[in-house]
Amino acid sequence: MSDDLFKLNVDGKDIEVPRHYTLMQACEEAGAEIPRFCYHERLSVAGNCRMCLVEWEGAPKPIASCAQTVGDMRPNRDGSAPNIRTKGAYVEKARNGVMEFLLINHPLDCPICDQGGECDLQDQAMAYGRAGSRYDENKRAVEDKNMGPLVKTIMTRCIQCTRCVRFAAEVAGVEELGMISRGENAEITTYLEKSLTSELSGNVIDLCPVGALTSKPYAFNARPWELRKTSSIDVMDAMGASIRVDAKGDGVMRILPEVNEEINEEWLSDKSRFVWDGLARQRLDKPYVRENGKLRPASWGEAFAAVKAALSVPADKVGVVAGDLVEVEQAKAALDLFRSLGIQSTDCRPAGAQYGTDGVRERYILNGTLAGVEDADALLLIGTNPRVEAAVWNARIRKAWLWADLKVGRIGEAADLTYDHAWLGDGASALADVRSSDFGKVLAEAERPMIVVGEGALCGEDGAAVLAKALELAQEVGAVKDGWAGFGVLHNAAGRVGALDVGFVPGEGGGTTADILSGTMDTVVLLGADELDLSRLGSANVIYVGSHGDAGAARADIILPSAAYTEMSATYVNTEGRVQMTSRAVQPKGEAREGWAIFRALSDVMGKTLSYDTADALRAELRGPDGESTVFSGLGFAPGAMGVEALKAPVSGASGSLSTATFRPVFDDFYMTNPIARASKTMAECSALASALDTPVAAE
């Protein structure tokens, strides 16, 4: 037996496992089933529930397998491997007793509990519980706690497993949950009964095994067996987290995370989880045309005729802006049509970020990958606040800081990231002084440093110079070397990288978003672009293609309704360059169509018929001819260090000095970043609460 392996006998089966394994992991390696409530593989060990008891032959009492490390176990007196039993009358009696104890105060309210059908306590009570309880005293009652608009509490159901407490402290980084009192009086509560402030608070719902914490917006809406479950991806940020969309009839009932170790592990941000009610509100379900200053419903034929008239102007007087949620298929079809019409003023960077025009993909994706931060030993964040721009990734950074001693530095507005970091300044000028700072020495001495630039650093006039300087710094400190590409851009919009990949940037002689919105255009086309200042458009005809009646639709003269991300199978590319696809969970609302289909039909009207007439044909064109590899050739693959050679090349054409201006935040309100979120009542409640918490209170 090697030094790093330990031999055990589990239920008569000899196994060898690493010495750092817990006894629970060892038993499961042997094929045994171990019940648990408090144990979770991504949280520290608590050993609270005792449901995982097993028999260690020779031990005076049953052993909590979650808290016993196999390397600390002793062999038998004759030197043979310890004997472990996970079955039998002894273990069964122990687990029966634990289950009876856990159910002493738990109410028998399964018929009205939203956890019903998905409850670990129900399942394990059936498998390991007694036929009846010997407890005939009064059950205790615990007052429900106010945890805000997202988490509903029925604390009498709580069995004090402390999963939620450990998640808040270890993963979310906000120590706002804890246990008070002891024994029968023990209860979980928030600090001074205030609302949870974490952007990840909804994950405690998934972690709770007994229904003490459930989803407040979802309460009493549906039962799990009534729902159609569709695996998809999230588009509320640029991470592309794996999600499951649960639908009933033509409506989305809830959104849950799915496990994806490379992206979101098993967590999901509150915005991604609870934005679903916004999918049904303020929807555009039919075309509209403005007449006499008012929008009126129209047929698709009337709307296309109006669009044709609006586009019958000189090509240099037409501008197109793609928004944050645009899918690859729509961006590709729109770009093909507008290029065929000679229109060069196309842009997918509504905030004005300066990247993506030099044809080097590695300079606008996160080459180090989301999971790669766990391999880094130093991280420099430039003009980004990952807590609000990529909340789940921020939790991964915290994990690396907490367990792997990751050193973090940041340039940008001061912010609480939930982990300690060195603040180096608030603007581009600080970038020039990084090498001479204390953190610069940390970067230089690090074996695998990582430098991440946010969009907030690239939207100023010196955006190109900032990107060039950051890449130069990465080359100098060894963040770019064979086998390690620790440089990249952290995007905040799901549609950005995909649109850049298809070339949705100004063509030869074309204008940027700022030029398009300057009032010089006769016609402006907005592809779900709502985060814009449209006040300078003057008398320009505005064509809006989108799913929600937001700022763009309010200014539009022609509205073409499109499907939302839960209503179509569409391609997105996340911030690390990983190609992903959504799946249709419900049908588009009313007469809405998928974005690419709108432009395919419009191309017929314009006399510039596109070469593809199905989504599959369009995707085949994106993938390129057989044998020719493009960025869309495969799904689910992040290039990572494959792009290191491109990063080693010097940046040309990025002239200009670094300004003294402060890097501005990408958005002011985490909960109100796109039309779907702004249509959500739940997000509005969260936004109002967050604003109230940020309001300073005068001292008494």
Side-chain angles (χ1 to χ4, degrees):
M1 184 175 64
S2 63
D3 293 339
D4 61 339
L5 293 178
F6 192 87
K7 187 176 288 185
L8 287 167
N9 183 285
V10 179
D11 295 333
K13 181 180 179 180
D14 290 326
I15 62 169
E16 284 187 338
V17 296
R19 300 183 71 88
H20 66 268
Y21 267 34
T22 65
L23 185 52
M24 176 186 286
Q25 291 173 308
C27 292
E28 292 184 334
E29 189 80 10
E33 181 181 318
I34 307 295
R36 81 290 301 268
F37 289 114
C38 68
Y39 177 80
H40 192 279
E41 57 269 19
R42 302 189 196 276
L43 304 175
S44 60
V45 174
N48 291 346
C49 73
R50 321 307 285 184
M51 198 64 208
C52 63
L53 294 176
V54 298
E55 180 184 2
W56 178 4
E57 191 175 286
K61 61 181 181 179
I63 303 296
S65 59
C66 71
Q68 178 66 59
T69 305
V70 298
D72 295 332
M73 299 176 69
R74 52 173 173 75
N76 296 327
R77 291 185 177 182
D78 60 359
S80 61
N83 296 318
I84 306 297
R85 297 188 184 95
T86 67
K87 305 171 185 176
Y90 184 83
V91 175
E92 184 180 345
K93 183 180 180 181
R95 292 175 182 173
N96 284 349
V98 170
M99 179 59 69
E100 186 179 17
F101 182 76
L102 292 175
L103 292 176
I104 280 177
N105 287 311
H106 190 84
L108 298 177
D109 60 352
C110 298
I112 63 164
C113 179
D114 272 321
Q115 193 83 351
E118 301 173 317
C119 180
D120 290 345
L121 188 63
Q122 281 183 329
D123 297 340
Q124 295 187 38
M126 291 295 294
Y128 304 102
R130 294 174 57 92
S133 175
R134 294 169 291 181
Y135 186 79
D136 58 4
E137 306 295 326
N138 292 328
K139 292 178 179 283
R140 73 161 189 172
V142 180
E143 185 178 348
D144 294 339
K145 309 299 187 293
N146 177 24
M147 294 190 183
L150 304 179
V151 182
K152 179 183 177 182
T153 61
I154 307 90
M155 301 311 294
T156 302
R157 299 172 183 163
C158 180
I159 61 170
Q160 287 83 44
C161 72
T162 69
R163 280 186 179 184
C164 56
V165 176
R166 285 174 283 148
F167 172 84
E170 298 166 11
V171 180
V174 290
E175 297 186 1
E176 297 172 345
L177 281 172
M179 180 184 288
I180 59 174
S181 300
R182 299 185 68 185
E184 188 178 52
N185 296 318
E187 58 182 278
I188 305 294
T189 184
T190 59
Y191 178 69
L192 296 179
E193 298 218 0
K194 72 174 185 178
S195 172
L196 298 178
T197 59
S198 171
E199 295 80 11
L200 301 170
S201 63
N203 291 288
V204 300
I205 298 168
D206 298 334
L207 288 172
C208 182
V210 299
L213 306 176
T214 57
S215 172
K216 189 175 285 187
Y218 173 70
F220 308 127
N221 274 357
R223 287 298 194 182
W225 54 84
E226 300 173 331
L227 304 175
R228 299 189 311 275
K229 302 169 178 64
T230 307
S231 295
S232 188
I233 62 163
D234 173 55
V235 301
M236 292 297 110
D237 54 33
M239 288 184 58
S242 294
I243 61 173
R244 194 188 82 196
V245 181
D246 289 358
K248 181 180 179 182
D250 63 349
V252 175
M253 292 286 103
R254 63 178 181 177
I255 294 174
L256 300 175
E258 289 191 333
V259 176
N260 189 325
E261 297 294 348
E262 295 181 319
I263 300 177
N264 60 302
E265 298 182 287
E266 62 184 78
W267 314 126
L268 196 60
S269 77
D270 289 348
K271 181 167 55 180
S272 302
R273 182 187 295 270
F274 294 106
V275 79
W276 53 265
D277 66 324
L279 291 164
R281 302 180 74 244
Q282 294 183 215
R283 290 302 302 268
L284 301 173
D285 58 357
K286 61 184 68 174
Y288 288 87
V289 174
R290 191 176 297 275
E291 287 185 358
N292 301 320
K294 294 184 178 181
L295 289 169
R296 69 165 179 85
S299 67
W300 277 102
E302 289 177 300
F304 282 151
V307 171
K308 183 178 182 179
L311 294 176
S312 298
V313 297
D316 60 351
K317 291 294 184 179
V318 180
V320 188
V321 182
D324 293 349
L325 302 182
V326 65
E327 67 276 16
V328 169
E329 289 86 350
Q330 181 179 176
K332 167 69 173 172
L335 187 67
D336 287 348
L337 174 59
F338 291 123
R339 287 287 188 268
S340 70
L341 296 172
I343 297 167
Q344 301 295 325
S345 296
T346 56
D347 203 354
C348 65
R349 305 162 299 173
Q354 300 185 40
Y355 48 53
T357 56
D358 59 3
V360 182
R361 189 177 193 242
E362 289 75 12
R363 293 177 187 165
Y364 62 79
I365 65 171
L366 186 64
N367 299 277
T369 72
L370 297 167
V373 74
E374 296 187 37
D375 298 322
D377 43 13
L379 171 67
L380 175 61
L381 301 170
I382 303 173
T384 179
N385 180 350
R387 181 171 177 179
V388 294
E389 294 174 34
V392 177
W393 188 56
N394 194 65
R396 195 186 284 266
I397 297 174
R398 174 177 168 80
K399 180 171 77 169
W401 167 81
L402 188 63
W403 303 111
D405 198 29
L406 174 68
K407 302 293 191 296
V408 184
R410 182 169 177 267
I411 301 175
E413 285 192 341
D416 177 13
L417 300 181
T418 72
Y419 41 84
D420 294 336
H421 61 278
W423 185 68
L424 308 179
D426 58 8
S429 56
L431 187 56
D433 303 325
V434 169
R435 291 299 306 275
S436 58
S437 68
D438 291 341
F439 189 78
K441 298 174 183 176
V442 173
L443 278 176
E445 294 171 1
E447 184 179 343
R448 293 177 302 278
M450 182 180 282
I451 296 176
V452 177
V453 187
E455 189 158 303
L458 305 175
C459 291
E461 294 182 358
D462 61 345
V466 169
L467 186 62
K469 184 66 178 177
L471 180 53
E472 181 185 328
L473 176 63
Q475 294 166 345
E476 290 176 357
V477 300
V480 176
K481 58 187 177 183
D482 292 343
W484 180 252
F487 175 83
V489 175
L490 179 66
H491 292 274
N492 56 79
R496 190 84 71 241
V497 175
L500 290 170
D501 283 343
V502 300
F504 211 104
V505 292
E508 187 175 352
T512 62
T513 298
D515 300 324
I516 295 169
L517 303 180
S518 63
T520 60
M521 298 292 177
D522 291 341
T523 299
V524 174
V525 184
L526 304 177
L527 308 186
D530 296 273
E531 280 63 50
L532 299 171
D533 180 9
L534 304 176
S535 60
R536 298 175 59 193
L537 287 179
S539 59
N541 278 321
V542 177
I543 303 168
Y544 181 80
V545 184
S547 61
H548 283 70
D550 206 72
R555 173 59 181 82
D557 298 288
I558 306 165
I559 295 175
L560 306 178
S562 64
Y565 72 104
T566 55
E567 299 162 2
M568 58 182 173
S569 296
T571 306
Y572 285 87
V573 185
N574 78 344
T575 190
E576 51 186 359
R578 189 189 304 270
V579 181
Q580 302 171 291
M581 286 199 70
T582 63
S583 298
R584 175 178 288 184
V586 293
Q587 294 297 317
K589 297 292 185 285
E591 300 177 33
R593 302 180 182 179
E594 295 184 22
W596 76 268
I598 292 174
F599 287 101
R600 173 60 176 80
L602 182 59
S603 70
D604 278 341
V605 176
M606 300 297 300
K608 299 288 186 178
T609 303
L610 297 176
S611 60
Y612 36 81
D613 56 7
T614 66
D616 288 340
L618 192 160
R619 294 181 191 119
E621 187 161 318
L622 283 170
R623 290 192 292 270
D626 291 341
E628 182 179 319
S629 179
T630 71
V631 298
F632 300 103
S633 296
L635 289 174
F637 171 72
M642 291 179 61
V644 68
E645 292 302 321
L647 291 174
K648 290 179 180 179
V651 180
S652 58
S655 59
S657 58
L658 301 177
S659 72
T660 58
T662 301
F663 290 147
R664 56 184 178 88
V666 177
F667 39 74
D668 299 323
D669 190 340
F670 168 75
Y671 300 102
M672 295 286 170
T673 56
N674 59 63
I676 303 175
R678 287 190 287 273
S680 167
K681 293 176 65 176
T682 304
M683 293 297 100
E685 291 181 47
C686 292
S687 176
L689 181 62
S691 299
L693 292 173
D694 290 340
T695 303
V697 179
E700 297 183 356

